[in-house]
Amino acid sequence: MARLAIILAAGEGTRMRSAFPKVLHRVGGRSLVGHALSAVKAAKFDAVSVVIGPNHENVGEEAKRFAPDAKTFVQRDRKGTAHAVMQADLTGNYDAIVVAFGDTPFVSAETLARMGDAVKGNVAVAALGFRAADPTGYGRFITRDGKLVAIREHKDASESERNITLCNAGIMALAGKHAAAILKKISNNNANGEFYLTDAVEIAAGMGLDCVALETSEDEVRGINTKAQLAEAEAVLQAKLRQRAMEQGVTLIAPETVFLSEDTKFGSDVVVEPYVVFAAGVVVEDGAVIHSFSHLDGAHVGKQASIGPYARLRPGTKLGAKVRIGNFVETKAANIEDGAKANHLSYIGDARVGENANVGAGTITCNYDGFGKAKTDIGAGAFIGSNSSLVAPVKIGDGAYIGSGSVITLDVPADALAVGRGRQSVKEGWAKRLRDARLALKK
Ligand code: UD1
Ligand code: MG
């Protein structure tokens, strides 16, 4: 059974009121088209095509990230969903062609596979339906004697057809051997002047072929057309991700305040305090504690590490076991090895911090000179005094000691002390003399 999946992603997304293509908007840290393609991938289709809009190369690139073998096709004029499908290459003797939307992110792999399975024998079209709480705007399934005979778009539907609550989710499977013949017959004679894929049902029925309706839940097929729907989808997904994390044993003290990504990974006995955000690509190992108000993005947190409160871990952060990152510490592209600590008010970027090193309050790695980035290397067991600036590229040897308030521009050998600051001078009685002189002037 060879199967092709086509993801339609060429829509303008006008209702999003955004300069970005709609399908690049994110839910749970993943783009809408990324969600759709993840399901396609899990359903193991033999080929994947994505139909994108003109000047939407970024959608093509995002698609390749999730499905490197996907072919992209550009739909120059957006003349409707059937027209979009016809931009893809349908030759290839596919048994089933499953069409899904780039703006419908929660469709499961099982549903996509079920759709593909449904077209066989005399069944040429399978359409996915759901019972809509509010069917306004959706296409309606018209059935006769239990058979699906047409899908009527809301705008084209009669008063009585609008009372139908079984709505079209938009996902459709076509038998490969009939697809081209059916699509060719679709016209744009409707309220929108578009070539509707939904007309495939009526046409196939007219050709003496069968159409079937499959049903699923509204939550699975919620389409995203507006920012409000994007936010609703986020809420639905977050509820699911929190539930999943807790089922795996993560302690979420106030789950409704924690935001997760589809790909957030937790080990056992992780505790997450209230108000923490996990952007994409975060792994948290066993026994780590993430304190309140921390933001983690593309970071790997080692076993029994302690993060925050108020920590910011940016992409490329890798923390070993028992690392402590305290309040108002920011890390980026930083490899912080087992037992190292940066407890207060620091920026550690493009750096390695060796095992058990101690990075004092206010330490900054000066990694950027306005043109390029350079690396800071802090050896195992080094002690960086508070409020030091480490001007990269620079290397602090194992066990070295940096005096507080230093600006370090030269490498420091292992076990050495480096102090780079003005020497303190003390003038006995100076303050008193000043006060006395000023007071004398006032008299
Ligand atoms: C579509 C269905 C409707 C269904 C609803 C479910 C049709 C004609 N209507 O309506 O029955 O109830 O989805 O959400 O199929 N697209 C293109 N090129 C185009 C037009 C659309 O690629 O020329 C893509 C869009 O990017 C989107 C998808 O097709 O991913 C659906 O288009 P959209 O305009 O959102 O259709 P709806 O009006 O929601
Ligand atoms: Mg839509």
Side-chain angles (χ1 to χ4, degrees):
M1 278 287 275
R3 286 178 185 174
L4 167 68
I6 303 178
I7 301 291
L8 303 188
E12 303 251 30
T14 329
R15 286 168 283 176
M16 294 294 266
R17 300 199 183 280
S18 164
F20 282 109
K22 170 161 78 176
V23 296
L24 293 185
H25 286 80
R26 287 168 184 274
V27 174
R30 181 177 287 175
S31 64
L32 300 180
V33 71
H35 280 281
L37 284 166
S38 301
V40 164
K41 211 170 156 204
K44 299 197 160 57
F45 278 81
D46 300 280
V48 182
S49 294
V50 183
V51 180
I52 64 175
N55 309 320
H56 282 179
E57 293 82 8
N58 44 3
V59 175
E61 283 159 21
E62 178 73 354
K64 295 260 191 244
R65 227 165 279 149
F66 288 88
D69 299 330
K71 285 193 190 138
T72 52
F73 297 89
V74 176
Q75 184 191 21
R76 290 210 183 281
D77 310 298
R78 296 174 177 94
K79 294 183 187 161
T81 42
H83 180 258
V85 170
M86 289 172 83
Q87 307 309 304
D89 179 8
L90 306 179
T91 63
N93 289 321
Y94 297 110
D95 297 288
I97 298 172
V98 177
V99 180
F101 291 168
D103 70 352
T104 308
F106 299 149
V107 175
S108 71
E110 295 72 50
T111 297
L112 293 176
R114 195 154 66 94
M115 296 294 292
D117 290 341
V119 287
K120 55 175 180 251
N122 200 46
V123 177
V125 180
L128 185 64
F130 66 102
R131 301 276 166 190
D134 174 12
T136 314
Y138 288 115
R140 309 295 208 285
F141 279 3
I142 316 285
T143 51
R144 203 171 299 136
D145 308 326
K147 270 192 177 174
L148 180 66
V149 292
I151 301 175
R152 194 82 70 233
E153 286 306 294
H154 182 87
K155 277 190 183 169
D156 302 297
S158 67
E159 204 58 43
S160 66
E161 286 170 340
R162 285 186 181 179
N163 289 330
I164 297 169
T165 57
L166 187 57
C167 291
N168 179 30
I171 293 156
M172 187 178 277
L174 300 166
K177 61 180 173 213
H178 298 300
I182 293 170
L183 289 166
K184 220 164 45 195
K185 291 192 179 163
I186 293 177
S187 80
N188 61 351
N189 184 17
N190 52 53
N192 269 351
E194 286 188 7
F195 295 88
Y196 288 160
L197 181 61
T198 43
D199 285 351
V201 171
E202 212 162 356
I203 287 166
M207 290 163 71
L209 298 163
D210 290 334
C211 302
V212 295
L214 279 70
E215 214 179 306
T216 191
S217 72
E218 182 161 19
D219 268 347
E220 185 182 352
V221 291
R222 55 175 66 240
I224 293 170
N225 302 302
T226 64
K227 290 282 166 70
Q229 287 169 339
L230 186 70
E232 274 169 40
E234 185 73 52
V236 168
L237 181 60
Q238 288 301 333
K240 196 178 98 184
L241 296 177
R242 291 165 189 147
Q243 193 62 34
R244 190 165 83 187
M246 290 187 285
E247 276 161 18
Q248 281 170 13
V250 178
T251 301
L252 299 181
I253 294 168
E256 67 284 3
T257 66
V258 173
F259 287 78
L260 300 159
S261 286
E262 186 74 64
D263 63 356
T264 309
K265 289 196 179 64
F266 292 107
S268 59
D269 292 309
V270 170
V271 176
V272 180
E273 289 188 351
Y275 298 101
V276 174
V277 176
F278 294 89
V282 175
V283 178
V284 182
E285 291 197 56
D286 302 353
V289 180
I290 316 295
H291 296 281
S292 292
F293 307 110
S294 294
H295 188 280
L296 295 82
D297 183 1
H300 187 117
V301 176
K303 291 195 169 113
Q304 293 172 52
S306 169
I307 308 303
Y310 295 100
R312 178 169 184 216
L313 308 186
R314 290 170 53 201
T317 293
K318 186 170 185 309
L319 310 180
K322 298 191 174 169
V323 163
R324 301 182 69 88
I325 299 294
N327 37 231
F328 306 106
V329 173
E330 173 182 352
T331 63
K332 184 218 76 174
N335 189 1
I336 303 182
E337 296 174 1
D338 296 355
K341 300 188 191 99
N343 275 331
H344 335 264
L345 302 157
S346 266
Y347 172 58
I348 304 174
D350 299 305
R352 176 188 79 100
V353 179
E355 279 184 25
N356 299 319
N358 190 317
V359 176
T363 297
I364 304 291
T365 54
C366 309
N367 61 329
Y368 185 55
D369 61 5
F371 298 95
K373 301 281 168 70
K375 284 213 153 66
T376 300
D377 190 273
I378 299 173
F383 184 97
I384 313 297
S386 294
N387 205 31
S388 293
S389 301
L390 308 177
V391 182
V394 73
K395 223 175 142 148
I396 315 295
D398 292 354
Y401 205 103
I402 305 297
S404 292
S406 291
V407 177
I408 298 297
T409 55
L410 303 171
D411 287 354
V412 179
D415 297 322
L417 165 70
V419 184
R421 63 180 186 225
R423 185 172 281 278
Q424 181 171 332
S425 72
V426 176
K427 292 181 172 131
E428 294 281 354
W430 186 94
K432 185 170 186 310
R433 283 198 298 281
L434 174 81
R435 264 192 316 268
D436 292 348
R438 292 288 155 115
L439 283 171
L441 279 174
K442 271 197 171 175
K443 278 181 189 155

